[in-house]
Amino acid sequence: MKKAILSGNEAFARGAHEAGVRLASAYPGTPSTEILENVIKYPEIDASWATNEKVSLEVAIGASFGGARALVTTKHVGVNVMADPLFTLSYTGVRGGLVIVVADDPEMHSSQNEQDSRNYAKFAKVPMFEPADSQEALDFTRLAFEASEKFDTPVFIRSTTRISHSKSIVELGEPVQGLPEPRLERDPGKLVMLPANARKRHPMVEQRLRDMAEWSATQGFNRVEEGSGEIGIITAGVAYQYAREVFPEASVLKLGLVHPLPKGLIRDFAARFKTVYVIEELDPFLEEQIRAMGIEVLGKDKLPICGELTPGRIEASLLGAKAELPLHSGEVIPNRPPNMCPGCPHRGVFLGLNRLKAYVTGDIGCYTLGFLPPLSAMDTCVCMGASIGNATGISRVLPPEERSKVVAVIGDSTFLHSGITGLMDMVYNKSAATVIILDNRITAMTGRQENPTSGFTLAGSEAYEVDLEQICRAVGVKHVQVIDPYEIDKTRELIRSEMARPEVSVIITRRPCMLIKRDVVEIKPPLYVDEDKCTACKACLKLGCPAIEWQDREGAKGKCHVNKHLCVGCGVCEQVCKFGAFGVCHVE
């Protein structure tokens, strides 16, 4: 048997290949992004980035209705966006298997909340598997497609950051053979969810969950690992690994299917032990259902409900051990606070907004870092696409003298994801606010993924390049301006003039991300600071550029310094220096 070391996300992709998936769709989002980026290694799968998570699921539903197996991947908050088709898909069921891999982000390494996606499985009445390592990520992906078709249902697989990004040894299998070829097959009674049809389907959904619970009690993915002593542990996912480390001698009921639960198996297991711990990350999802069965267990009354679990946190919570200290190598490591990259085209825009004292409704992307000092130019940030709607609401309730201060800021990819409808509403309801679309030609924060403004597909082939100006004008915006954000004085003056306009206006700041994949960014020599001209006014430090450092000097005035290894020569700092202290390094 061939083996490989794979991350969880690589294993999900491999599992899709082995399961015979024909189509995969997603909107990028950490920690799930790499699944689709690995799926394109398997050319038989038609994989693509969608404009948002709702569209990605709808595309996959179409493929499933056509008889093909289809995969959707998303981060946890993406399920909120796809919830509308998801809940009805639970009623229609599938033709070809349909699996949604959702990656939760406990500890919020790169997310705005810690929602637990297992609640969606129960809410939408959709079964959910939860792997504990990369091998199970692969195996459960194959299994989920089989279960999807066996029980006529979409199936969730829940990952978490540690499963998605950790690597372990995986045994690879061969792709399944003999799957039916996709073809049209009419079945309106199943696929047209009018009330009359939906009423017939709902009891089938309930029976399906009962059937799956009974089936899962006999499957190997729900298993008892016998130990010794009077402690029994019920767990799933990555928490299983931590529980095993802390309680190596205990008996464990490891659940592979976390919804619906095998209640008979749980009841029989719990009855054998004096103390039963339920060890799970985030919400007491398993614990509440087990308590509702009348079984006394210990869980979130001792374990933290917020953040990730670790062996140390479990040991401290359940055994009273001294809380673990953060890992430290002993080496001095430079601070790396969250910051926009050197040369980021967004930096000058936020400097301008700060100087203009704008009230900025922000959005999700690299530019959310504009909230941080020294730029400190973001006042709200809720979710993908919310900035424009937030600006509309605020401007409609403010007095005229404050209304002009409201500016919505949104990235190009986020605008296409869910900002367009907010802009349409802003125009339709005659609101007055300024919208800035930060067009850096890429979905940058999740790792530079393509989107419809980039003109390229997931696989790198050329595609139609969406015209943002035309979209804005098409929804009724009369004033659309495009500017290079490296020209910081012009950018600030344009923002000032548009803020004074008593109607909707859009400014598109267009310059490619410094890290864009294609070689379109002009490489310039780094800058330096002429110490004789630097007055130590620190104006350049207010840009928050990581390439500009402050150097204290004993007995003398400190000076600014440019780190040549970081500077990309964008020249923005040169524009804010009133003393001409920045110069361009000579490059041979």
Side-chain angles (χ1 to χ4, degrees):
M1 184 71 73
K2 188 176 180 181
K3 295 183 179 180
I5 299 176
L6 300 181
S7 69
N9 282 348
E10 291 170 324
F12 289 126
R14 175 72 191 190
H17 162 65
E18 294 185 11
V21 166
R22 292 286 191 104
L23 181 142
S25 184
Y27 183 83
T30 307
S32 67
T33 306
E34 302 86 0
I35 302 175
L36 227 59
E37 291 177 329
N38 280 282
V39 163
I40 60 174
K41 296 176 181 175
Y42 308 104
E44 77 279 8
I45 302 177
D46 180 352
S48 59
W49 293 126
T51 46
N52 65 33
E53 294 85 353
K54 179 174 183 286
V55 173
S56 72
L57 179 56
E58 290 162 345
V59 169
I61 290 172
S64 170
F65 287 175
R69 289 186 170 183
L71 176 75
V72 177
T73 69
T74 181
K75 69 180 297 176
H76 58 301
V77 290
V79 186
N80 303 335
V81 183
M82 66 171 65
D84 196 2
L86 171 67
F87 278 66
T88 302
L89 175 64
S90 179
Y91 277 35
T92 65
V94 302
R95 277 194 63 217
L98 193 153
V99 172
I100 304 165
V101 178
V102 52
D104 288 2
D105 188 19
E107 205 77 23
M108 292 177 281
H109 297 285
S110 185
S111 304
Q112 65 269 44
N113 69 35
E114 269 188 315
Q115 71 186 47
D116 187 329
S117 295
R118 294 176 299 174
N119 295 300
Y120 263 113
K122 192 167 185 289
F123 193 13
K125 302 179 187 296
V126 171
M128 174 178 274
F129 288 94
E130 185 168 2
D133 57 25
S134 296
Q135 182 67 64
E136 286 194 345
L138 189 157
D139 294 343
F140 285 7
T141 302
R142 292 188 62 147
L143 179 63
F145 279 101
E146 295 170 10
S148 175
E149 292 169 356
K150 177 181 177 69
F151 292 96
D152 188 15
T153 177
V155 175
F156 272 123
I157 301 176
R158 183 202 191 207
S159 182
T160 56
T161 304
R162 299 302 174 186
I163 295 296
S164 285
H165 291 169
S166 298
K167 293 203 172 193
S168 56
I169 297 173
V170 175
E171 288 189 357
L172 308 180
E174 296 297 323
V176 297
Q177 302 294 325
L179 293 174
E181 286 297 312
R183 62 182 177 82
L184 290 177
E185 185 175 291
R186 300 184 194 280
D187 191 356
K190 168 178 163 64
L191 303 182
V192 180
M193 276 306 99
L194 293 171
N197 290 337
R199 291 188 194 103
K200 296 174 184 173
R201 294 292 300 180
H202 189 185
M204 298 169 72
V205 171
E206 302 298 337
Q207 183 58 46
R208 178 180 75 204
L209 290 172
R210 289 191 288 271
D211 291 344
M212 283 205 75
E214 184 178 352
W215 167 75
S216 74
T218 64
Q219 303 299 308
F221 52 75
N222 288 332
R223 65 174 186 266
V224 174
E225 297 177 359
E226 296 291 351
S228 59
E230 297 181 333
I231 292 177
I233 295 170
I234 302 173
T235 186
V238 72
Y240 159 80
Q241 305 289 1
Y242 306 149
R244 265 286 168 229
E245 189 169 334
V246 176
F247 298 97
E249 305 299 327
S251 295
V252 173
L253 171 55
K254 180 190 177 301
L255 298 174
L257 188 73
V258 294
H259 182 74
L261 292 178
K263 294 183 177 178
L265 186 61
I266 291 171
R267 189 172 282 110
D268 292 345
F269 177 81
R272 296 164 45 200
F273 301 97
K274 183 177 180 180
T275 302
V276 177
Y277 292 131
V278 178
I279 300 178
E280 56 188 328
E281 279 189 325
L282 298 182
D283 293 347
F285 179 80
L286 302 175
E287 180 185 337
E288 286 183 350
Q289 294 182 75
I290 295 170
R291 285 183 186 274
M293 293 162 59
I295 299 171
E296 186 177 344
V297 296
L298 296 173
K300 293 301 177 182
D301 40 359
K302 292 183 174 292
L303 292 163
I305 197 170
C306 302
E308 290 182 308
L309 293 180
T310 65
R313 289 177 179 174
I314 293 172
E315 199 170 9
S317 301
L318 299 183
L319 301 179
K322 189 176 180 180
E324 63 179 6
L325 296 174
L327 291 175
H328 196 285
S329 66
E331 293 184 30
V332 178
I333 300 174
N335 277 333
R336 290 180 296 173
N339 201 346
M340 295 178 192
C341 301
C344 175
H346 304 333
R347 180 169 283 107
V349 177
F350 283 98
L351 180 69
L353 290 166
N354 177 297
R355 298 274 173 84
L356 294 168
K357 301 187 186 308
Y359 186 93
V360 178
T361 58
D363 224 296
I364 305 294
C366 295
Y367 48 90
T368 314
L369 297 170
F371 156 78
L372 296 170
L375 295 170
S376 303
M378 187 171 290
D379 296 280
T380 71
C381 180
V382 179
C383 67
M384 291 284 287
S387 58
I388 300 178
N390 292 164
T392 296
I394 292 174
S395 64
R396 284 170 63 177
V397 299
L398 288 178
E401 63 272 18
E402 287 202 287
R403 191 178 301 154
S404 63
K405 297 178 182 176
V406 179
V407 177
V409 174
I410 188 169
D412 52 343
S413 182
T414 312
F415 177 70
L416 297 178
H417 176 282
S418 48
I420 295 174
T421 46
L423 183 61
M424 206 180 306
D425 179 83
M426 181 178 273
V427 174
Y428 175 62
N429 287 301
K430 301 177 182 177
S431 302
T434 304
V435 176
I436 299 177
I437 301 176
L438 305 167
D439 180 9
N440 62 359
R441 312 268 90 191
I442 205 76
T443 308
M445 193 166 194
T446 49
R448 304 168 296 149
Q449 286 73 39
E450 309 294 350
N451 67 56
T453 66
S454 72
F456 292 88
T457 67
L458 168 63
S461 60
E462 291 190 13
Y464 179 75
E465 189 175 314
V466 166
D467 188 325
L468 292 176
E469 297 96 299
Q470 293 286 13
I471 286 179
C472 295
R473 292 191 177 101
V475 301
V477 181
K478 297 177 183 175
H479 310 283
V480 181
Q481 311 282 346
V482 181
I483 195 164
D484 180 353
Y486 272 5
E487 297 180 341
I488 60 171
D489 289 340
K490 289 182 179 178
T491 300
R492 184 168 67 246
E493 287 310 306
L494 178 60
I495 297 172
R496 186 200 306 276
S497 65
E498 294 307 306
M499 287 172 67
R501 194 184 293 279
E503 55 185 316
V504 178
S505 67
V506 172
I507 300 170
I508 301 172
T509 62
R510 178 166 294 146
R511 179 169 277 273
C513 170
M514 283 304 300
L515 302 177
I516 201 165
K517 296 175 183 174
R518 290 167 296 283
D519 189 21
V520 298
V521 176
E522 183 183 0
I523 304 299
K524 295 183 177 179
L527 275 63
Y528 69 94
V529 174
D530 184 335
E531 295 187 359
D532 293 333
K533 294 181 179 178
C534 178
T535 64
C537 70
K538 299 185 179 180
C540 56
L541 293 178
K542 293 178 180 175
L543 285 167
C545 178
I548 305 175
E549 303 166 351
W550 177 255
Q551 293 183 339
D552 288 317
R553 299 183 179 191
E554 189 174 349
K557 188 181 290 184
K559 297 287 182 181
C560 286
H561 171 77
V562 175
N563 185 327
K564 295 177 184 178
H565 299 295
L566 293 176
C567 179
V568 297
C570 71
V572 169
C573 55
E574 198 175 8
Q575 297 176 58
V576 302
C577 180
K578 296 178 180 177
F579 306 100
F582 284 89
V584 179
C585 292
H586 175 68
V587 177
E588 294 183 353

